[in-house]
Amino acid sequence: MINNGLAFYRAMYRIRRFEETVLEEFKRGVFAGTTHTSLGQEANAVGVISALQPQDIIVTNHRCHGHFLAYGGDMRALFAEMMGRVSGVCGGRGGSQHIHWRNLYSNGVQGGIVPIATGMAFAEKQNKTGAIVAVFIGDGTFGEGIIYEAFNMARLWSLPLLIVVEHNHIAQTTPTAMVQVGQLAERIRAFEIPVNELDSSDVDEIHQAAVKAAETVRREQLPSALLLHTVRFGPHSKGDDTRDVTELRALQEIRDPLKILGQRLSPAALTTVEGEVDQEVSYAFAQALSDPPAVLEGGQNG
Ligand SMILES: Cc1ncc(C[n+]2csc(CCOP(=O)(O)OP(=O)(O)O)c2C)c(N)n1
Ligand SMILES: [Mg+2]
């Protein structure tokens, strides 16, 4: 997808710089609550969301900034949301994990989003809108029983649900291999839902797989899954990482989606894009910081 090259690079670099800024600024106490960055996983957000259509619905989880930005969300509004400012995506009340913009919804209750997404897929099917619902979950979420009830219903009722698993092999600080038996793909296939499993940080490959999966879900009005092996470069949230640093660095060398795509693009074009995005990030951050605080119930500022 050569034509998409620079656009994909820009989209992933926006996420990278946004997330790096979040981690840096959290230490200074700028943001409220907590946060989960998707450093290293940018190709999933960009590759999958670019394969969806405007009427489609995205339901995402605690690690949602990349999905929001890849969907075209405004950086200032996301910074502001996390700072509890009135200009935030949800008026500064949702924070990092609870955002709603257009057809994108996020919720931090692990696994709870899957039945919600399934219900939305049911509604879209009933209303014959032609929309599909893409739900993003992590590998650790396969420990939440509710997702299996939802998979069962999605298949039983033939619902247009695209299950996107971002399998970074870790849940907080627990390697999932330590707590889960068998293959995650088999758990999904047990419900007669087809799975396309990919081990790649190449946004073009992910995009192509996502286009195919989304088309199948839409055409056949049946659930399907993309199981994307990936690498989380950063901590779970703000510093809780017990992984071996040398091993992680070695993985970063070969699994950085920006490096993988960047090698195929002109260095001069990359410099321009990076300069533009760096400016966008600084401007968005400064603007959010100067925005007024969220308005509480009853109209009082808090
Ligand atoms: C019901 C519930 N239990 C526990 C948590 C705390 N929690 C947040 S993220 C997370 C791990 C998620 O792991 P995974 O599904 O692999 O996603 P990842 O963080 O790797 O993207 C946990 C235990 C939660 N948010 N909700
Ligand atoms: Mg995980």
Side-chain angles (χ1 to χ4, degrees):
M1 284 265 173
I2 293 296
N3 291 341
N4 281 340
L6 264 186
F8 279 175
Y9 190 88
R10 180 187 294 274
M12 294 197 295
Y13 189 73
R14 281 180 87 231
I15 300 170
R16 176 68 54 91
R17 288 298 301 130
F18 179 89
E19 300 284 47
E20 285 173 347
T21 309
V22 165
L23 281 185
E24 281 156 27
E25 297 295 338
F26 233 110
K27 291 186 207 133
R28 303 199 184 108
V30 169
F31 299 110
T34 189
T35 193
H36 309 86
T37 58
S38 53
L39 294 161
Q41 302 187 190
E42 297 91 344
N44 303 332
V46 172
V48 173
I49 290 172
S50 60
L52 301 177
Q53 293 184 4
Q55 74 271 27
D56 294 341
I57 296 171
I58 297 160
V59 185
T60 164
N61 53 57
H62 57 288
R63 206 174 293 288
C64 61
H65 308 158
H67 305 137
F68 173 79
L69 293 172
Y71 187 51
D74 182 58
M75 225 182 238
R76 171 190 181 171
L78 186 53
F79 275 137
E81 185 60 39
M82 295 168 63
M83 292 176 191
R85 308 291 163 131
V86 72
S87 55
V89 186
C90 297
R93 297 172 186 209
S96 169
Q97 302 180 71
H98 300 103
I99 53 179
H100 167 224
W101 181 64
R102 295 194 178 165
N103 288 346
L104 179 143
Y105 303 81
S106 77
N107 191 287
V109 179
Q110 218 190 331
I113 58 170
V114 184
I116 292 172
T118 305
M120 286 173 156
F122 179 76
E124 296 306 312
K125 183 161 183 159
Q126 283 290 102
N127 294 332
K128 299 187 169 53
T129 62
I132 70 168
V133 180
V135 61
F136 286 82
I137 52 173
D139 45 305
T141 302
F142 282 71
E144 294 288 345
I146 188 74
I147 71 168
Y148 303 101
E149 295 185 37
F151 291 169
N152 184 62
M153 276 186 175
R155 182 60 186 84
L156 194 65
W157 294 347
S158 306
L159 303 181
L161 182 71
L162 177 61
I163 302 154
V164 185
V165 185
E166 294 192 71
H167 193 343
N168 57 17
H169 299 260
I170 191 160
Q172 292 208 204
T173 53
T174 307
T176 38
M178 268 178 67
V179 291
Q180 290 181 4
V181 290
Q183 299 299 313
L184 296 192
E186 296 313 317
R187 295 190 185 195
I188 305 172
R189 289 190 184 116
F191 296 94
E192 298 178 0
I193 297 174
V195 181
N196 185 0
E197 189 165 7
L198 224 67
D199 190 358
S200 169
S201 296
D202 184 332
V203 67
D204 286 341
E205 259 184 71
I206 294 167
H207 177 72
Q208 280 165 29
V211 166
K212 238 171 127 180
E215 270 173 15
T216 310
V217 169
R218 201 181 311 277
R219 189 182 58 245
E220 295 181 7
Q221 292 288 294
L222 284 174
S224 188
L226 275 175
L227 177 47
L228 306 174
H229 292 267
T230 187
V231 183
R232 190 191 83 198
F233 288 1
H236 169 70
S237 54
K238 295 170 321 230
D240 43 349
D241 205 340
T242 50
R243 290 174 296 177
D244 182 282
V245 177
T246 319
E247 274 176 34
L248 188 58
R249 292 244 164 86
L251 270 178
Q252 285 178 328
E253 274 306 306
I254 53 166
R255 292 297 296 253
D256 187 336
L258 286 167
K259 276 191 197 152
I260 293 169
L261 177 62
Q263 281 162 1
R264 301 201 284 267
L265 303 171
S266 126
L270 294 189
T271 308
T272 307
V273 166
E274 289 179 2
E276 286 169 1
V277 172
D278 290 348
Q279 262 190 345
E280 182 192 359
V281 175
S282 326
Y283 181 77
F285 182 79
Q287 288 294 307
L289 205 54
S290 66
D291 286 339
V295 178
L296 297 179
E297 290 299 327
Q300 289 172 335
N301 280 346

